[in-house]
Amino acid sequence: MKIAVIKKNTVVNAELKDWLLDGLRSLGGFDIEELSSPKDISADFDRVLVFGGDGTMLETVRYTAPLGIAVLGVNLGHLGFLTEFDKDVTAKELASALNSNEFSQKSLLEIGFGKKTYLALNELVVKSSTTRPILIDLYVGGKFADTFKSDGLIVSTPTGSTAYSLSAGGPIVSPDVKAIVVNPICPHSLHSRPIVVGDDAEIDIRIAGEEGEASVVVDGSLVGDANSGEIITLKTSSKSAKFVVGKDENFFDKLLKKMNVWSTTLQKTE
């Protein structure tokens, strides 16, 4: 089995990564190649093993999803909600997971902006480029839904519902629910609340107002700026992100473990 290895550029636990990879090599059956960037992932790899946090996973999935390659993550970052294993994993556990054929599929957003198309596992964020709120028109299925006067707008998948959208007051959506969450950021209105639509909905976001200027961010990466009148389109992609399922832990177990235990206060008292 050919394995591509991706690591966070500033990985703080390189010794653990090397120890686990040495363990995998000693077990046999794995052709392991460490890559300098997710951009180097090609279709001839069977699995991609990621050492890092959620940011590294998001970047990697951008390249594995179009190729249909399954990803397995070891959390060397902070939260690690997208990774399957934490730092206490053993080489035997990694080998067993890599050899398994049990996978989960996570939906992706297909985002059209300018002349380019982007894939997002978590979310699209359209955010004011200044300290002033902006006006954003929302259309769902070609029909006008609302105008938000806010710091911006988050459109997330169920996977992304536990990320930025959650911090902005959005709902937690179970990964088996076929939905898209539209969540205004700090809306200057009492009626503006998160909206949940079906995953078959086509969404258009229009920067309104005469002086609208917004940053367009896909899974944490700035992809450009949108000015008044520009339109960003979204829909659920026909492609999906493929993840290796390495242990028997359901979504709610992980949610309680990660969200209730991981906090700044806890880290300071440890």
Side-chain angles (χ1 to χ4, degrees):
M1 180 179 290
K2 191 171 183 180
I3 308 295
V5 174
I6 301 296
K7 68 178 186 302
K8 183 179 179 181
N9 291 333
T10 57
V11 62
V12 295
N13 210 328
E15 296 84 3
L16 174 61
K17 173 189 73 71
D18 293 339
W19 177 73
L20 288 170
L21 291 182
D22 287 343
L24 284 176
R25 291 186 178 98
S26 68
L27 291 170
F30 297 105
D31 177 11
I32 298 172
E33 184 176 342
E34 296 188 55
L35 304 180
S36 58
S37 168
K39 296 178 182 180
D40 298 327
I41 297 171
S42 60
D44 60 335
F45 287 103
D46 300 296
R47 304 280 190 275
V48 175
L49 179 58
V50 177
F51 291 92
D54 290 335
T56 312
M57 292 290 285
L58 289 171
E59 183 183 6
T60 300
V61 165
R62 203 174 300 155
Y63 298 95
T64 59
L67 299 173
I69 302 174
V71 180
L72 179 66
V74 178
N75 180 31
L76 298 183
H78 296 292
L79 183 59
F81 202 83
L82 296 175
T83 56
E84 188 72 4
F85 291 109
D86 289 315
K87 298 174 184 177
D88 58 352
V89 67
T90 66
K92 286 186 178 180
E93 287 174 319
L94 279 184
S96 177
L98 290 168
N99 281 317
S100 77
N101 288 312
E102 187 175 354
F103 308 107
S104 66
Q105 304 278 353
K106 299 183 185 298
S107 64
L108 299 167
L109 291 176
E110 183 177 308
I111 300 160
F113 172 57
K115 297 181 179 180
K116 294 185 178 180
T117 301
Y118 305 89
L119 293 178
L121 174 61
N122 268 1
E123 77 272 302
L124 164 78
V125 178
V126 180
K127 198 168 185 178
S128 174
S129 299
T130 70
T131 57
R132 299 186 300 274
I134 55 173
L135 292 174
I136 298 177
D137 291 337
L138 173 69
Y139 296 83
V140 179
K143 297 181 179 180
F144 175 74
D146 206 345
T147 294
F148 300 102
K149 184 178 182 181
S150 64
D151 285 350
L153 195 68
I154 303 168
V155 184
S156 80
T157 64
T159 301
S161 73
T162 57
Y164 189 10
S165 181
L166 176 64
S167 298
I172 294 173
V173 181
S174 177
D176 58 340
V177 175
K178 298 182 182 301
I180 299 172
V181 178
V182 181
N183 190 10
I185 305 169
C186 299
H188 195 70
S189 169
L190 292 177
H191 93 273
S192 295
R193 292 294 180 265
I195 300 171
V196 180
V197 300
D199 73 339
D200 59 345
E202 295 189 2
I203 297 172
D204 295 321
I205 296 171
R206 178 180 175 272
I207 309 302
E210 296 181 358
E211 298 180 356
E213 184 178 344
S215 299
V216 180
V217 181
V218 176
D219 276 351
S221 296
L222 178 66
V223 299
D225 295 313
N227 296 312
S228 182
E230 288 194 74
I231 296 175
I232 303 163
T233 63
L234 299 99
K235 63 180 180 179
T236 298
S237 174
S238 59
K239 301 179 178 66
S240 60
K242 190 175 182 181
F243 288 81
V244 174
V245 176
K247 56 184 176 181
D248 186 19
E249 181 181 56
N250 68 42
F251 170 74
F252 295 101
D253 288 338
K254 196 167 193 177
L255 187 67
L256 288 171
K257 177 183 175 182
K258 296 289 186 179
M259 293 302 184
N260 286 347
V261 174
W262 183 80
S263 70
T264 303
T265 301
L266 180 63
Q267 287 180 341
K268 287 183 177 179
T269 57
E270 286 181 339

